[in-house]
């Protein structure tokens, strides 16, 4: 089992390696010279050349990559030319709000989707099931930013229950922190729950048809434990996969939602960096996103192993 | 006469499907005496499994299935019990083993968990006691090193072992009746024989009655005392096992008998399979259900459905012409 875990971890190395090359090369594929942008329009050719030499831009490509990689591995992603701070610091500062929104949205999504999906599967074909199916279909068709705007209008502007926009860090108190996140979290989470609910329903339906469910029933197991013990544990694998895969989407969604709710997250960071061609930051964000994907996949794999004894042998 | 253990009267099982309502079991009656092994045979799709699962009311009654008739267990009609009362019968007084041992055990729980679950639902035992019982049951069903197996998962066991686990689970509460739905079909021949021996042994030791479902007449001859022959959701013949083999009355039963490959027969001769196809459940003929495949069928057969009638003692048959047919055949052989 430990061997399996180690294997999984090592299999991630090549993925990260490829991503790092892509992130590195990105700078060379985008038009515009960072050095001339940095020095402004009045810079002379000599000044530009001197800075290029100083920053190592004249070294062979592989050498540049190598230097860069060593730094990255030490957690040094370079400095932001425009914010005058290390990229790592900039990312960490902006990551809090984005991650908070994504995690809150995921929690909301799971809390809605699991019971709804299970109920729909249990009463397949009933009116309630049809309602759930229709509702989730609508949910998947609505973009989350639109839903966010509607929430903002209703809960924020009309009813005044929640602050319309903005962000307060956790250090200002939990409720203060939460109330600013609630609307973006709901906007993303409810939309997200549609997909997970549908997956839960279909996964549960499939498992409920399995022979071992008949066996459990024939032993006298109560209907409730048939659903929540025998079926759910088996149905969980595909559900976890969707949750994991869509967590990446949630992060992307959070970036959009941040703009609407004016939250200083990764979205803002990326937008500002693109506008100012702050390559080191863009690179850093790409690496971070890739790293998150990889970690999420690893967590999914490990959860699989916990839930299904057949995995890992 | 003593009350039979199980008495099924005119049982009908209907299913709601996309193409309308079908009646998969249509007026079945038979009874099982204490301690006996009753065989139920018939071609694939004739409703054996539906009958078996109807006895324990395993189908979803809220949305898909509905039952009619009577299923009396020691005089008590199971079809009138509440959900909770039914749960107390399942696995306790009547238990069941299924056709495919590979998919009948829950893959994410250990063998021990699944055995202990059955024990602890019906009996007031501590975890420790239940675990010891589980180990004893595994040993009784012939599983080597049960102390080790008890904490293994189904995928770590072979098909034959898994069927033994299923049997152990079914026997956990010493039921009065075991319904075995083709318990050996998915296993290879040697394992098949071992499982059959085990079931016979347990039937003798525990005095537990068995409804043995199979489409293998050879197995029936080996283990059963009485046989019910099914065709398209109905009983077409019922008899003691010797009688059924020596004097089968229904043309369908005769066809089944001829379909058994003979060890001493001519090997090059083609296996006698009953010609024609079984009508679909939503296109059941109004006359005799077997008429379209029966060489003796006439207008009466096509118009009117025969009832199950007593031939002699407990030998029953559902055919208009069984007497003439037997005479004709006797004359042909003479
Ligand atoms: N849940 C269900 N809904 C609708 N029809 C069903 C359902 N279960 C079984 N049937 C139908 O009932 C008929 C009898 O099926 P059953 O499984 O009892 O056959 P069987 O005699 O056990 O066959 P086999 O030897 O292949 O196991 C089949 O035509 C089948 O399609
Ligand atoms: Mg069957």
């Amino acid at each position: 089992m430990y061997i399996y875990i180690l294997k999984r971890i090592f299999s991630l190395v090549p993925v990260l390696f490829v991503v790092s090359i892509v992130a590195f090369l990105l700078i060379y594929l985008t038009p515009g010279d960072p050095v001339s942008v940095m020095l402004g329009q009045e810079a002379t050719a000599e000044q530009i050349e001197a800075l290029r030499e100083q920053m190592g831009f004249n070294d062979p490509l592989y050498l540049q990559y190598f230097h860069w990689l060593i730094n990255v591995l030490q957690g040094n992603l370079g400095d932001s030319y425009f914010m005058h701070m290390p990229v790592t610091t900039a990312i960490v500062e902006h990551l809090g709000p984005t991650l908070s929104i994504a995690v809150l949205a995921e929690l909301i999504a799971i809390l809605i989707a699991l019971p709804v999906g299970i109920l729909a599967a249990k009463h397949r074909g009933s009116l309630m099931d049809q309602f759930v199916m229709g509702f989730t279909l609508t949910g998947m068709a609505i973009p989350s930013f639109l839903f966010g705007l509607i929430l903002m209008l209703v809960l924020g502007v009309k009813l005044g229950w929640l602050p319309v926009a903005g962000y307060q860090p956790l250090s200002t108190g939990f409720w203060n922190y939460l109330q600013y996140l609630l609307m973006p979290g709901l906007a993303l989470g409810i939309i997200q729950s549609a997909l997970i609910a549908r997956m839960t329903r279909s996964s549960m339906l499939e498992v409920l048809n399995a022979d071992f469910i008949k066996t459990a029933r024939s032993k006298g197991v109560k209907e409730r434990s048939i659903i929540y013990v025998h079926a759910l544990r088996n149905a969980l694998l595909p559900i976890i996969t969707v949750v994991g895969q869509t967590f990446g989407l949630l992060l992307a969604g959070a970036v959009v939602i941040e703009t609407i709710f004016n939250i200083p997250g990764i979205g803002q960071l990326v937008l500002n960096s693109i506008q100012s061609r702050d390559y080191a930051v863009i690179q850093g964000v790409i690496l971070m996103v890739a790293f998150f994907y990889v970690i999420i996949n690893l967590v999914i794999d490990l959860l699989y192993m916990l839930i299904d004894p057949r995995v890992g042998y | 006469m003593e009350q039979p253990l199980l008495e099924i009267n005119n049982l009908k099982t209907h299913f709601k499907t996309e193409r309308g309502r079908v009646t998969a079991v249509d007026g079945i009656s038979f009874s099982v005496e204490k301690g006996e092994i009753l065989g139920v045979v018939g071609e694939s799709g004739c409703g054996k499994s539906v009958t078996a699962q109807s006895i324990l009311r395993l189908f979803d009654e809220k949305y898909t299935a509905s039952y009619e008739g009577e299923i009396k267990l020691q005089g008590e009609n199971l079809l009138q019990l509440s959900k909770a009362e039914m749960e107390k019968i399942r696995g306790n007084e009547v238990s069941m083993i299924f056709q495919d041992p590979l998919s009948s055990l829950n893959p994410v729980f250990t063998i021990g968990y699944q055995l202990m679950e059955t024990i602890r639902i019906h009996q007031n035992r501590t975890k420790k006691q239940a675990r010891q019982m589980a180990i004893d049951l595994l040993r009784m069903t012939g599983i080597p090193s049960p102390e080790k197996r008890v904490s293994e998962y189904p995928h770590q066991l072979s098909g034959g072992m898994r069927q033994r686990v299923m049997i152990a689970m079914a026997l956990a509460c010493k039921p009065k009746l075991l319904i075995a739905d083709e318990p050996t079909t998915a296993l290879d021949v040697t394992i098949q024989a071992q499982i059959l021996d085990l079931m016979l042994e347990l039937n003798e030791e525990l005095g537990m009655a068995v409804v043995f479902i199979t489409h293998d007449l050879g197995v029936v001859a080996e283990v059963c005392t009485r046989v019910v022959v099914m065709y398209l959701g109905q009983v077409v013949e019922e008899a003691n096992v010797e009688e059924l083999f020596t004097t089968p009355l229904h043309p369908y039963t005769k066809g089944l008998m001829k379909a058994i490959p003979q060890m001493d027969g001519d090997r090059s001769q083609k296996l006698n399979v009953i010609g024609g196809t079984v009508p679909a459940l939503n296109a059941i003929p109004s006359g005799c259900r077997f008429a379209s495949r029966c060489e003796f069928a006439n207008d009466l057969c096509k118009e009117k459905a025969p009832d199950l009638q007593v031939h002699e003692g407990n030998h029953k048959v559902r055919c208009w012409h069984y007497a003439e047919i037997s005479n004709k055949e006797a004359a042909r052989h003479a």
Side-chain angles (χ1 to χ4, degrees):
Chain A
M1 198 167 89
Y2 296 106
I3 297 179
Y4 174 78
I5 297 177
L6 281 180
K7 256 199 221 153
R8 294 299 316 166
I9 292 176
F10 274 111
S11 71
L12 300 176
V13 173
V15 179
L16 283 174
F17 184 66
V18 170
V19 172
S20 75
I21 291 181
V22 171
F24 175 74
L25 286 179
L26 191 81
I27 292 186
Y28 292 86
L29 296 177
T30 40
D33 179 5
V35 175
S36 43
V37 174
M38 273 166 69
L39 290 178
Q41 299 198 327
E42 288 97 57
T44 61
E46 287 84 54
Q47 281 174 315
I48 291 176
E49 189 50 39
L51 190 62
R52 290 187 67 88
E53 185 65 40
Q54 184 201 332
M55 294 183 66
F57 282 151
N58 288 341
D59 290 343
L61 207 52
Y62 71 91
L63 210 62
Q64 287 186 41
Y65 171 70
F66 190 67
H67 286 310
W68 177 76
L69 188 63
I70 300 255
N71 279 328
V72 168
L73 287 179
Q74 291 168 344
N76 175 8
L77 293 169
D79 290 322
S80 161
Y81 308 133
F82 290 90
M83 286 181 284
H84 303 292
M85 59 163 89
V87 171
T88 322
T89 318
I91 288 181
V92 169
E93 270 178 13
H94 289 81
L95 193 58
T98 306
L99 262 189
S100 304
I101 293 176
V103 169
L104 180 68
E106 192 73 277
L107 281 180
I108 291 173
I110 293 174
L111 281 179
I112 297 175
L114 275 191
V116 165
I118 291 172
L119 231 63
K122 198 174 150 197
H123 303 283
R124 68 205 152 278
S126 69
L127 218 63
M128 203 250 314
D129 181 24
Q130 284 165 13
F131 179 76
V132 167
M133 291 306 277
F135 205 72
T136 52
L137 202 64
T138 322
M140 291 199 304
I142 297 179
S144 53
F145 72 84
L146 183 64
F147 190 50
L149 283 175
I150 294 172
L151 281 183
M152 190 193 261
L153 204 68
V154 177
L155 296 182
V157 179
K158 281 251 153 66
L159 297 172
W161 289 353
L162 291 168
V164 175
Y167 176 75
Q168 294 286 317
L170 186 54
S171 51
T172 62
F174 183 70
W175 169 242
N176 208 20
Y177 162 76
L178 189 66
Q179 65 177 350
Y180 282 94
L181 293 178
L182 219 45
M183 271 203 283
L186 280 172
L188 279 176
I190 291 177
I191 298 293
Q192 177 82 347
S193 74
L195 184 68
I196 302 178
R198 288 177 86 89
M199 192 66 209
T200 305
R201 177 183 178 274
S202 69
S203 179
M204 279 297 280
L205 274 186
E206 196 181 318
V207 173
L208 283 174
N209 267 327
D211 287 350
F212 59 78
I213 294 297
K214 276 252 164 73
T215 307
R217 200 166 283 139
S218 80
K219 301 198 298 190
V221 178
K222 293 209 176 359
E223 207 55 38
R224 194 157 22 91
S225 24
I226 286 184
I227 299 225
Y228 291 100
V229 180
H230 284 264
L232 187 59
R233 178 106 184 245
N234 280 279
L236 227 41
L237 289 183
I239 298 172
I240 286 177
T241 311
V242 191
V243 170
Q245 283 171 349
T246 52
F247 189 72
L249 286 181
L250 262 188
L251 276 177
V255 166
V256 178
I257 283 283
E258 277 167 15
T259 321
I260 296 172
F261 286 94
N262 192 23
I263 291 172
I266 293 290
Q268 249 181 31
L269 182 68
V270 168
L271 278 182
N272 292 340
S273 321
I274 290 178
Q275 273 163 7
S276 56
R277 293 191 190 284
D278 201 342
Y279 289 112
V281 177
I282 300 173
Q283 251 177 359
V285 171
I286 290 175
L287 276 182
M288 179 206 72
V289 169
F291 186 70
F292 265 108
Y293 262 99
V294 164
I295 292 295
I296 289 167
N297 273 309
L298 183 67
V299 171
I300 294 176
D301 277 345
L302 298 184
L303 279 178
Y304 264 35
M305 213 177 59
L306 276 184
I307 294 171
D308 189 342
R310 288 165 297 185
V311 177
Y313 285 90
Chain B
M1 215 179 93
E2 208 185 340
Q3 178 187 40
L5 176 65
L6 180 78
E7 193 182 340
I8 298 178
N9 286 321
N10 205 19
L11 170 70
K12 295 185 183 181
T13 304
H14 313 283
F15 291 114
K16 241 191 259 163
T17 69
E18 276 127 44
R19 278 164 283 113
R21 195 167 100 138
V22 296
T23 304
V25 165
D26 196 357
I28 287 225
S29 303
F30 63 81
S31 59
V32 185
E33 307 296 329
K34 285 194 183 83
E36 88 166 325
I37 303 187
L38 174 77
V40 176
V41 295
E43 283 170 302
S44 189
C46 69
K48 304 183 296 289
S49 297
V50 173
T51 306
Q53 293 174 26
S54 298
I55 296 175
L56 277 178
R57 287 172 60 188
L58 294 186
F59 296 108
D60 167 29
E61 287 165 49
K62 208 159 169 193
Y63 295 110
T64 56
S66 62
Y67 307 109
E68 266 179 72
E70 276 183 336
I71 302 172
K72 282 192 189 161
L73 182 71
Q74 296 179 309
E76 185 177 34
N77 188 357
L78 299 185
L79 290 182
Q80 264 151 22
L81 296 186
S82 71
K83 251 182 156 175
E85 287 168 322
M86 209 51 224
E87 277 159 4
K88 280 195 196 117
I89 304 250
R90 295 183 188 137
N92 193 21
E93 297 191 48
V94 182
S95 56
M96 188 155 176
I97 44 183
F98 297 87
Q99 184 160 347
D100 188 357
L102 298 187
S103 56
S104 295
L105 289 164
N106 195 326
V108 301
F109 294 109
T110 60
I111 306 299
Y113 176 91
Q114 299 185 52
L115 275 161
M116 285 157 65
E117 185 182 31
T118 315
I119 295 167
R120 296 192 64 199
I121 286 173
H122 300 293
Q123 300 174 14
N124 197 3
R125 306 276 169 157
T126 63
K127 264 198 177 141
K128 221 171 139 199
Q129 289 170 325
R131 189 181 164 85
Q132 191 50 50
M133 284 177 73
I135 294 174
D136 294 342
L137 281 164
L138 288 177
R139 186 175 296 116
M140 180 174 84
T141 47
I143 291 182
S145 46
E147 295 87 356
K148 193 172 129 255
R149 292 294 183 189
V150 79
S151 38
E152 288 189 346
Y153 289 93
H155 71 271
Q156 292 168 285
L157 274 67
S158 69
M161 284 293 168
R162 282 188 234 184
Q163 198 59 296
R164 283 171 196 266
V165 172
M166 281 298 291
I167 295 176
M169 213 151 76
L171 299 180
C173 299
K174 302 217 169 24
K176 301 188 180 88
L177 176 66
L178 173 69
I179 302 168
D181 188 359
E182 309 202 33
T184 58
T185 309
L187 306 172
D188 69 51
V189 188
T190 37
I191 312 288
Q192 230 179 67
Q194 288 172 11
I195 296 283
L196 283 181
D197 283 346
L198 173 67
M199 291 189 45
L200 277 176
E201 223 177 271
L202 293 168
N203 159 259
E204 227 160 82
E205 273 173 32
L206 308 175
M208 159 191 74
V210 182
V211 173
F212 194 96
I213 296 172
T214 176
H215 53 236
D216 186 343
L217 278 172
V219 172
V220 167
E222 237 173 280
V223 300
C224 300
T225 43
R226 223 150 42 85
V227 191
V228 167
V229 181
M230 282 184 66
Y231 182 76
L232 199 52
Q234 294 186 326
V235 174
V236 295
E237 188 162 2
E238 182 192 324
N240 287 338
V241 76
E242 301 85 22
E243 180 139 351
L244 192 82
F245 278 84
T246 50
T247 48
L249 295 177
H250 199 283
Y252 177 65
T253 317
K254 293 182 187 189
L256 285 182
M257 298 284 179
K258 287 196 197 121
I260 310 176
Q262 302 284 301
M263 276 308 274
D264 49 358
D266 181 359
R267 277 295 166 121
S268 61
Q269 194 187 336
K270 231 176 111 197
L271 207 73
N272 193 328
V273 191
I274 305 169
T277 50
V278 188
L281 281 181
N282 52 11
I284 287 177
S286 56
C288 172
R289 297 184 172 204
F290 187 59
S292 64
R293 299 170 75 189
C294 179
E295 53 176 311
F296 307 102
N298 62 12
D299 289 345
L300 174 63
C301 303
K302 287 186 180 122
E303 273 157 30
K304 226 169 146 231
D307 285 330
L308 192 65
Q309 50 184 298
V310 176
H311 164 62
E312 241 176 46
N314 60 6
H315 194 164
K316 297 175 194 160
V317 60
R318 188 191 290 271
C319 174
W320 291 118
H321 311 297
Y322 75 89
E324 297 153 47
I325 293 168
S326 294
N327 288 342
K328 244 187 240 166
E329 284 201 332
R332 204 188 294 164
H333 282 283

